[in-house]
Amino acid sequence: MLNGKRIVLIISGGIAAYKSLDLIRRLRERGARVIPVMTKGAQQFITPLAVGALSTEKVFTELFDREAEQDVGHIRLARDNDLILIAPATADLMAKMAHGIADDLATAVLLATDKPVLVAPAMNPKMWDNAATQRNIAQLQADGIHFVGPERGEMAESGEAGLGRMSEPLNIVAAVENFISRETDFSSAEEQKASLTGRRVVITSGPTHEPIDPVRYIANRSSGKQGHAIAAAAARAGATVALISGPVNLPDPEGVQTVHVESASEMLQAVKDALPADVAIMAAAVADWRIASESDQKIKKDATGAPPALSLTENPDILATIGHHDTLRPLLLVGFAAETQNLEANARSKLQRKRADWIVANDVSPETGIMGGDHNMVRIVSKTGIEDWPHMGKSEVAERLVTRIADFLSKPTP
Ligand code: CTP
């Protein structure tokens, strides 16, 4: 998949640098050539010797390296590659990039490059949330820099939890592969770019987790693959995309602003915060119920052996809330209907009840393998009719849906 690709890997200084060693191995396994550049900070965490051994390449560390300047030079390093990957990217390195500072080899390469740049940030959650970091990220996104992660988790150093953990090497590899395959298909990406340019699209994806107590929750089998594929396709088509994602094992799609939530209530709030938009697509498998009174302590078995009675209460319906909202309802509101029987009738009823414009209906009976799988077979139900789409990959469904949305927006007929 990455055969013959040259990737310049910039490693900056953070504890996550130890994962870069595995990342190098994973990229090389897939046929990529990995040319490492290490900042001074990175060398405090891992050695150029280890990086050199794993990459089997010269490791570049100095801006004014007589040997390297004669041989490669930072300009060639910046240009002679298919992608520059920064993993881990510290807050400091991103701040320098956002301001065009080039005071070491890594930042000079980044300033001199005309190649795509993919950033895998890693930092303390407070540093990630800091207004300055968020400003720099917005600037970098506006400059066309791509991101993978960070993910939510516990920090190795401080034990603090929150957004800031570097994506796992395999997730970074998936983002690189995605990116490179998209670049290879440049002509079709360009063709689509025009179609949703200037549009804002909000998408929900994945399951929700409804807490029972601090250690248990109610969940469902949604993988988020379809919603995430739609977000990626909408971004490729030039839209500004906000993806509100429940807990999934997928990397954040590139070029998409991803908000991570757990429960239906959090998802509703995040959707409201992300609106208004031209289009909203509710692909999440939102839990219909939550525990009426979540316990703030772990529920223990009692002496009688009687199981606890969990009483449920209904969750807000995000699609219906937005569908009936006077000011937040987008121009085009698309819902999903996951059914195991009476597909068409149920989809029609959801269309009406939730005031959606289209319902993407699919049969999620276990024998279809759709829930959690890579394929889907959908019917698009609107007020005016039904379209049956053939069995295809979830990314093809996403591309086709995005094209249909773009058509609708250019000539609004449902
Ligand atoms: N949905 C939502 N909020 C909920 C439940 C569902 O936004 N609390 C959205 C889903 O994202 C999807 C659509 O409503 O776009 C239909 O979801 P589905 O689970 O099929 O329908 P339900 O309304 O939950 O109906 P039922 O489970 O009874 O089939």
Side-chain angles (χ1 to χ4, degrees), residues 19 102 115 180 185 295 388 394-395 404:
K19 291 192 199 170
K115 297 295 178 184
I180 292 209
D185 196 14
S295 166
D388 284 329
K394 285 186 176 170
S395 50
R404 203 177 186 289

Side-chain angles (χ1 to χ4, degrees), residues 58 60 65-74 76-77:
K58 175 178 165 56
F60 295 90
D65 174 342
R66 179 180 280 264
E67 201 189 310
E69 282 301 315
Q70 275 165 6
D71 175 21
V72 188
H74 67 275
R76 246 186 83 195
L77 211 44

Side-chain angles (χ1 to χ4, degrees), residues 75-91:
I75 300 292
R76 246 186 83 195
L77 211 44
R79 305 278 167 80
D80 196 6
N81 62 71
D82 295 287
L83 175 76
I84 299 187
L85 172 63
I86 316 175
T90 58

Side-chain angles (χ1 to χ4, degrees), residues 204 264 267 281-289 315-320 334-339 346 350 353-354 359:
T204 66
M267 188 173 273
I281 304 164
M282 306 298 187
V286 183
D288 291 320
W289 304 283
N315 262 333
D317 190 311
I318 302 168
L319 177 59
V334 182
F336 271 68
E339 305 294 346
N346 285 330
K350 281 175 193 172
R353 249 186 310 126
K354 305 192 185 204
I359 291 283

Side-chain angles (χ1 to χ4, degrees), residues 187-197 233 236-238 399 402-403:
S187 57
S188 74
E190 278 301 287
E191 209 173 280
Q192 284 189 12
K193 231 183 173 61
S195 62
L196 286 180
T197 302
R236 287 201 290 276
E399 295 286 345
V402 163
T403 305

Side-chain angles (χ1 to χ4, degrees), residues 306-327:
L310 297 179
S311 103
L312 301 176
T313 185
E314 202 167 337
N315 262 333
D317 190 311
I318 302 168
L319 177 59
T321 307
I322 302 307
H324 288 91
H325 204 286
D326 290 341
T327 51

Side-chain angles (χ1 to χ4, degrees), residues 388-402:
D388 284 329
W389 288 6
H391 187 261
M392 53 184 147
K394 285 186 176 170
S395 50
E396 276 180 273
V397 171
E399 295 286 345
R400 203 160 154 168
L401 188 64
V402 163

